[in-house]
Amino acid sequence: MIEIDNLSKSFTLHNQGGAEIPVMAGASLRVAAGECVALTGASGAGKSTLMRMIYGNYLCQSGSIIVGGVDIARAEPREILALRREVLGYVSQFLRVVPRVPTLDVVAEPLLIVGEDESRARERAAELLARLNIPERLWSLSPTTFSGGEQQRVNIARGFAHDYPALLLDEPTASLDAANREVVMSMIEAAKARGAAIIGIFHDEAARDRLCDRVVDVTRFVPGLA
Amino acid sequence: MTTPLLSVRDIEKRYGARIGCTGVGFDLYPGEVMGIVGESGSGKSTLLNCLAGHLTPDQGEVIYHDRQGVGRDTVTMSEPERRMLSRTDWAFVHQNPRDGLRMGVSAGGNVGERLMAVGHRHYGGIRSVATDWLGRVEIADDRIDDRPSSFSGGMQQRLQIARNLVTGPRLVFMDEPTGGLDVSVQARLLDLLRGLVRQMGLSVILVTHDLAVVRLLADRLMVMKSGHVVETGLTDQVLDDPQHAYTQLLVSSVLQA
């Protein structure tokens, strides 16, 4: 489902003397449907950078990233957007929303943009929020004022609203209490069971051991270190 | 493969020896929102005005594919044809609502006038459509007979949007639509615009210097400097991994609130 070949990335800082910082070389990785792969490596080794490249958020200098038949390294913006709508989901650590939009709508939005009927989308959103223990009295409010843990759970609800065939998870269980952590882990297991290909960053070792079929240390993709 | 709504090729506009904008080309597809960012004087408004037919470019083509799928160059079409297009298929939202509204005419009249310009004649029908649109832009229906001069800046901008969208355009040009509004009003307007863009499947070309606005509204970005396009790409990619020196400067210059 996700096929990464010989990927390289460097940052050129034009306003800091044109410094060129190579951050990744020869990164290759394959994730099959129903498989969950954990990225590991010390902070700064490039886990998030690789995730962002897969999501099309960072450009790559060379190589290919094929998700659902589309090469993200070469695709047009609208092809990447279509892929993000239908195929590739991303649960980041931070919630980014338009102020004023109610939580229920934030969670339902991914379903509405793939053409799901409005009442069904809201029903599904409500079900996810309830499962993640977001009190119903908060659903009509914007999540911008919620606590960190609540925002994280709204973010997860949104990321799991549509059944994406491929999912990127950046620390999905961080900052959650034991009960909610268990809910999120069972959601990830359910996504695997329905055949989603998952790449995740899990600092939570117990979660990683339970959910992941393989571990890939991105340190071996750091130029000059391999 | 869908055909683009707008195909722009090699647009150049000079003011004497000075370059307004040059070498600009892109395809805009149905339902796409493209942001054009850059500092004052970068040529973004000149470009927008060339695309919308308010300025005649010195060279280049702006091919618009109409509802029948026929592609026509709006640079070379006749003035009446272009005017018809700007009343039916196109809309233009000005930064200053006073430039897009008729200040001496009631709110309902401002919306109804666009409908009459495309042939609506039934007064009751026009009034009910106008009332419906004022509601959609969150203007209370008891303000329908008031003049926009009695409205706040945010309300005026929402009225301008209603006036523009009432005829169901396919392509909307926006020049700094949230400029000059305070932040709480901006957020409301952005939320409203996002909803309307999705519901109506609008294609939008949005000029702004506000990177937060493009992050929320635009699918893709074009970054301009000194009349040239220096970088293009998916909005979040350009903002999070800018490649050109100027874009890096622009992104790193934003103050964190």
Side-chain angles (χ1 to χ4, degrees), chain A residues 178-198:
Chain A
N180 284 310
R181 184 172 159 271
E182 183 55 38
V183 172
V184 172
M185 286 204 283
S186 64
M187 284 169 66
I188 298 171
E189 283 170 334
K192 278 181 72 177
R194 66 164 170 80
I198 302 174

mmCIF file of all heavy atoms in Angstrom, chain A residues 178-198:
data_model
loop_
_atom_site.group_PDB
_atom_site.id
_atom_site.type_symbol
_atom_site.label_atom_id
_atom_site.label_comp_id
_atom_site.label_asym_id
_atom_site.label_seq_id
_atom_site.Cartn_x
_atom_site.Cartn_y
_atom_site.Cartn_z
ATOM 1 N N ALA A 178 -4.994 6.445 30.876
ATOM 2 C CA ALA A 178 -4.997 5.003 30.587
ATOM 3 C C ALA A 178 -6.249 4.555 29.835
ATOM 4 O O ALA A 178 -6.170 3.792 28.868
ATOM 5 C CB ALA A 178 -4.851 4.222 31.895
ATOM 6 N N ALA A 179 -7.414 5.060 30.252
ATOM 7 C CA ALA A 179 -8.667 4.625 29.632
ATOM 8 C C ALA A 179 -8.717 5.048 28.156
ATOM 9 O O ALA A 179 -9.039 4.255 27.271
ATOM 10 C CB ALA A 179 -9.851 5.201 30.394
ATOM 11 N N ASN A 180 -8.355 6.315 27.898
ATOM 12 C CA ASN A 180 -8.402 6.812 26.526
ATOM 13 C C ASN A 180 -7.318 6.184 25.655
ATOM 14 O O ASN A 180 -7.516 5.952 24.462
ATOM 15 C CB ASN A 180 -8.285 8.337 26.508
ATOM 16 C CG ASN A 180 -9.580 9.000 26.928
ATOM 17 O OD1 ASN A 180 -10.640 8.663 26.402
ATOM 18 N ND2 ASN A 180 -9.508 9.889 27.896
ATOM 19 N N ARG A 181 -6.180 5.889 26.286
ATOM 20 C CA ARG A 181 -5.086 5.242 25.569
ATOM 21 C C ARG A 181 -5.569 3.880 25.058
ATOM 22 O O ARG A 181 -5.325 3.489 23.928
ATOM 23 C CB ARG A 181 -3.915 5.090 26.543
ATOM 24 C CG ARG A 181 -2.672 4.520 25.950
ATOM 25 C CD ARG A 181 -1.536 4.619 26.974
ATOM 26 N NE ARG A 181 -0.499 3.671 26.649
ATOM 27 C CZ ARG A 181 -0.470 2.428 27.093
ATOM 28 N NH1 ARG A 181 -1.423 1.986 27.890
ATOM 29 N NH2 ARG A 181 0.516 1.626 26.726
ATOM 30 N N GLU A 182 -6.303 3.182 25.917
ATOM 31 C CA GLU A 182 -6.844 1.873 25.553
ATOM 32 C C GLU A 182 -7.847 2.003 24.391
ATOM 33 O O GLU A 182 -7.816 1.202 23.437
ATOM 34 C CB GLU A 182 -7.513 1.251 26.792
ATOM 35 C CG GLU A 182 -8.067 -0.144 26.585
ATOM 36 C CD GLU A 182 -7.035 -1.145 26.066
ATOM 37 O OE1 GLU A 182 -5.865 -1.086 26.496
ATOM 38 O OE2 GLU A 182 -7.402 -1.969 25.204
ATOM 39 N N VAL A 183 -8.689 3.047 24.436
ATOM 40 C CA VAL A 183 -9.660 3.266 23.354
ATOM 41 C C VAL A 183 -8.922 3.479 22.033
ATOM 42 O O VAL A 183 -9.244 2.868 21.007
ATOM 43 C CB VAL A 183 -10.556 4.500 23.655
ATOM 44 C CG1 VAL A 183 -11.417 4.844 22.441
ATOM 45 C CG2 VAL A 183 -11.428 4.243 24.863
ATOM 46 N N VAL A 184 -7.889 4.335 22.079
ATOM 47 C CA VAL A 184 -7.154 4.652 20.850
ATOM 48 C C VAL A 184 -6.445 3.409 20.317
ATOM 49 O O VAL A 184 -6.464 3.136 19.110
ATOM 50 C CB VAL A 184 -6.153 5.810 21.092
ATOM 51 C CG1 VAL A 184 -5.256 6.022 19.882
ATOM 52 C CG2 VAL A 184 -6.906 7.090 21.421
ATOM 53 N N MET A 185 -5.854 2.612 21.224
ATOM 54 C CA MET A 185 -5.176 1.399 20.758
ATOM 55 C C MET A 185 -6.154 0.439 20.104
ATOM 56 O O MET A 185 -5.853 -0.171 19.082
ATOM 57 C CB MET A 185 -4.418 0.739 21.903
ATOM 58 C CG MET A 185 -3.162 1.538 22.243
ATOM 59 S SD MET A 185 -1.894 0.558 23.038
ATOM 60 C CE MET A 185 -2.552 0.469 24.658
ATOM 61 N N SER A 186 -7.358 0.328 20.668
ATOM 62 C CA SER A 186 -8.314 -0.595 20.045
ATOM 63 C C SER A 186 -8.803 -0.046 18.702
ATOM 64 O O SER A 186 -9.097 -0.802 17.778
ATOM 65 C CB SER A 186 -9.475 -0.909 20.991
ATOM 66 O OG SER A 186 -10.196 0.252 21.257
ATOM 67 N N MET A 187 -8.842 1.286 18.562
ATOM 68 C CA MET A 187 -9.211 1.869 17.265
ATOM 69 C C MET A 187 -8.141 1.566 16.220
ATOM 70 O O MET A 187 -8.445 1.293 15.053
ATOM 71 C CB MET A 187 -9.407 3.394 17.406
ATOM 72 C CG MET A 187 -10.719 3.766 18.084
ATOM 73 S SD MET A 187 -10.814 5.524 18.544
ATOM 74 C CE MET A 187 -10.816 6.304 16.951
ATOM 75 N N ILE A 188 -6.875 1.630 16.642
ATOM 76 C CA ILE A 188 -5.783 1.341 15.713
ATOM 77 C C ILE A 188 -5.823 -0.142 15.320
ATOM 78 O O ILE A 188 -5.649 -0.488 14.143
ATOM 79 C CB ILE A 188 -4.416 1.734 16.323
ATOM 80 C CG1 ILE A 188 -4.373 3.246 16.591
ATOM 81 C CG2 ILE A 188 -3.264 1.325 15.391
ATOM 82 C CD1 ILE A 188 -3.172 3.717 17.391
ATOM 83 N N GLU A 189 -6.100 -0.991 16.300
ATOM 84 C CA GLU A 189 -6.216 -2.422 15.991
ATOM 85 C C GLU A 189 -7.352 -2.689 15.008
ATOM 86 O O GLU A 189 -7.208 -3.500 14.082
ATOM 87 C CB GLU A 189 -6.428 -3.223 17.292
ATOM 88 C CG GLU A 189 -5.132 -3.391 18.063
ATOM 89 C CD GLU A 189 -5.320 -3.951 19.465
ATOM 90 O OE1 GLU A 189 -6.406 -3.769 20.052
ATOM 91 O OE2 GLU A 189 -4.363 -4.557 19.988
ATOM 92 N N ALA A 190 -8.464 -1.982 15.201
ATOM 93 C CA ALA A 190 -9.602 -2.159 14.291
ATOM 94 C C ALA A 190 -9.238 -1.695 12.876
ATOM 95 O O ALA A 190 -9.617 -2.327 11.882
ATOM 96 C CB ALA A 190 -10.813 -1.390 14.808
ATOM 97 N N ALA A 191 -8.471 -0.592 12.786
ATOM 98 C CA ALA A 191 -8.052 -0.094 11.474
ATOM 99 C C ALA A 191 -7.150 -1.117 10.772
ATOM 100 O O ALA A 191 -7.292 -1.373 9.572
ATOM 101 C CB ALA A 191 -7.327 1.249 11.631
ATOM 102 N N LYS A 192 -6.239 -1.710 11.548
ATOM 103 C CA LYS A 192 -5.383 -2.777 10.985
ATOM 104 C C LYS A 192 -6.236 -3.934 10.485
ATOM 105 O O LYS A 192 -6.029 -4.460 9.394
ATOM 106 C CB LYS A 192 -4.433 -3.322 12.062
ATOM 107 C CG LYS A 192 -3.200 -2.505 12.281
ATOM 108 C CD LYS A 192 -2.323 -3.151 13.357
ATOM 109 C CE LYS A 192 -1.644 -4.419 12.860
ATOM 110 N NZ LYS A 192 -0.739 -4.979 13.904
ATOM 111 N N ALA A 193 -7.210 -4.317 11.309
ATOM 112 C CA ALA A 193 -8.046 -5.476 10.984
ATOM 113 C C ALA A 193 -8.842 -5.247 9.702
ATOM 114 O O ALA A 193 -9.057 -6.168 8.925
ATOM 115 C CB ALA A 193 -8.982 -5.787 12.142
ATOM 116 N N ARG A 194 -9.247 -3.992 9.438
ATOM 117 C CA ARG A 194 -9.977 -3.744 8.190
ATOM 118 C C ARG A 194 -9.029 -3.558 7.007
ATOM 119 O O ARG A 194 -9.435 -3.310 5.887
ATOM 120 C CB ARG A 194 -10.931 -2.560 8.330
ATOM 121 C CG ARG A 194 -10.252 -1.229 8.536
ATOM 122 C CD ARG A 194 -11.159 -0.028 8.284
ATOM 123 N NE ARG A 194 -10.520 1.207 8.713
ATOM 124 C CZ ARG A 194 -9.607 1.861 7.991
ATOM 125 N NH1 ARG A 194 -9.252 1.436 6.812
ATOM 126 N NH2 ARG A 194 -9.054 2.968 8.484
ATOM 127 N N GLY A 195 -7.711 -3.637 7.274
ATOM 128 C CA GLY A 195 -6.746 -3.653 6.172
ATOM 129 C C GLY A 195 -5.994 -2.362 5.943
ATOM 130 O O GLY A 195 -5.361 -2.179 4.897
ATOM 131 N N ALA A 196 -6.025 -1.428 6.899
ATOM 132 C CA ALA A 196 -5.288 -0.184 6.726
ATOM 133 C C ALA A 196 -3.782 -0.432 6.860
ATOM 134 O O ALA A 196 -3.357 -1.230 7.700
ATOM 135 C CB ALA A 196 -5.737 0.846 7.758
ATOM 136 N N ALA A 197 -2.998 0.214 6.018
ATOM 137 C CA ALA A 197 -1.541 0.214 6.160
ATOM 138 C C ALA A 197 -1.193 1.394 7.046
ATOM 139 O O ALA A 197 -1.593 2.522 6.772
ATOM 140 C CB ALA A 197 -0.885 0.357 4.791
ATOM 141 N N ILE A 198 -0.454 1.141 8.122
ATOM 142 C CA ILE A 198 -0.216 2.196 9.114
ATOM 143 C C ILE A 198 1.279 2.407 9.350
ATOM 144 O O ILE A 198 2.038 1.441 9.506
ATOM 145 C CB ILE A 198 -0.899 1.856 10.460
ATOM 146 C CG1 ILE A 198 -2.410 1.660 10.243
ATOM 147 C CG2 ILE A 198 -0.642 2.937 11.507
ATOM 148 C CD1 ILE A 198 -3.162 1.172 11.469
#
